[in-house]
Amino acid sequence: MTDTTTLLDLGPQTRILARLADGVREDRLTDGTPCPAYAVRHLLGHLSGLALAFRDAGRKDLGVTTDTSPQTALPDIGPGWRAELPVLLDELAAAWRDPAAWTGMTRAGGVDLPGSVAGAVAVDELVVHGWDLARATGQTYTPDPAALRACHDFLLASVDDPGRGSIFGPVVPVPADAPLLDRAVGLSGRDLGWAPRPRTP
């Protein structure tokens, strides 16, 4: 996949995501999400794992965190997740404020890729999973505009990429005049009409 995203401050989007995570009630952790294999707790666990992996990818600190595929095991949260996730997200943003993070080669999910592409993937994950988390837990979501634009452009560039199918679902058509977030969500392969199942009393 090609990308032109460089030197984007991830901090505004990571703070939005941290606020969404803080707004998750304990009784919603087992609810479903737009990611079919994930309950809310698994999505939060995935966010922790990707924050750790892309933090180290940005630092070029390659090892277990950057070599492990996210498909290796179902992610989950531990008892200290509420305190740990915001710290990991802050560290992720700090790593990508270093211009060196966006240059040369790095690794994430066991895949070697240019730093600029790894940064774009991180932005995509933060924006799209923010939508997933907000939709699953009934929260309002307004992503950082710069991150949203970068996410949309990255996803749009992936439409004809032969490797897209291993990462994203088929594109869901969205009207051209729809809000940018809706268009990005459709490009990621998500159903904009997804809603949590009614909760039983």
Side-chain angles (χ1 to χ4, degrees):
M1 294 179 184
T2 59
D3 174 64
T4 57
T5 303
T6 54
L7 302 182
L8 175 68
D9 184 4
L10 308 189
Q13 180 60 25
T14 57
R15 289 191 291 272
I16 289 167
L17 200 49
R19 287 196 295 271
L20 285 173
D22 187 56
V24 176
R25 302 197 315 260
E26 292 293 318
D27 66 342
R28 307 228 37 175
L29 291 175
T30 56
D31 287 1
T33 74
C35 306
Y38 288 177
V40 170
R41 64 179 305 122
H42 304 131
L43 177 56
L44 290 164
H46 177 65
L47 288 168
S48 294
L50 76 86
L52 182 62
F54 281 97
R55 178 200 71 184
D56 291 347
R59 293 174 176 176
K60 308 297 198 316
D61 183 11
L62 308 184
V64 174
T65 59
T66 60
D67 291 351
T68 304
S69 168
Q71 281 77 44
T72 300
L74 186 66
D76 206 346
I77 51 173
W81 73 269
R82 286 191 185 275
E84 294 164 1
L85 180 55
V87 172
L88 289 172
L89 289 168
D90 282 347
E91 291 174 349
L92 166 65
W96 288 91
R97 289 191 186 104
D98 183 350
W102 300 87
T103 64
M105 295 295 293
T106 190
R107 187 181 307 132
V111 178
D112 293 321
L113 66 175
S116 60
V117 174
V121 173
V123 174
D124 168 69
E125 293 275 331
L126 294 169
V127 171
V128 174
H129 285 317
W131 183 86
D132 292 332
L133 186 60
R135 183 59 63 97
T137 57
Q139 299 186 69
T140 301
Y141 180 48
T142 304
D144 170 59
L148 174 58
R149 170 55 65 183
C151 170
H152 173 270
D153 291 351
F154 173 71
L155 288 166
L156 186 62
S158 79
V159 168
D160 296 322
D161 192 306
R164 175 192 161 87
S166 62
I167 305 172
F168 308 114
V171 171
V172 176
V174 175
D177 60 351
L180 189 61
L181 178 58
D182 290 0
R183 284 181 273 150
V185 169
L187 287 169
S188 76
R190 283 158 171 77
D191 176 9
L192 282 163
W194 188 93
R197 292 181 180 177
R199 297 172 61 82
T200 55

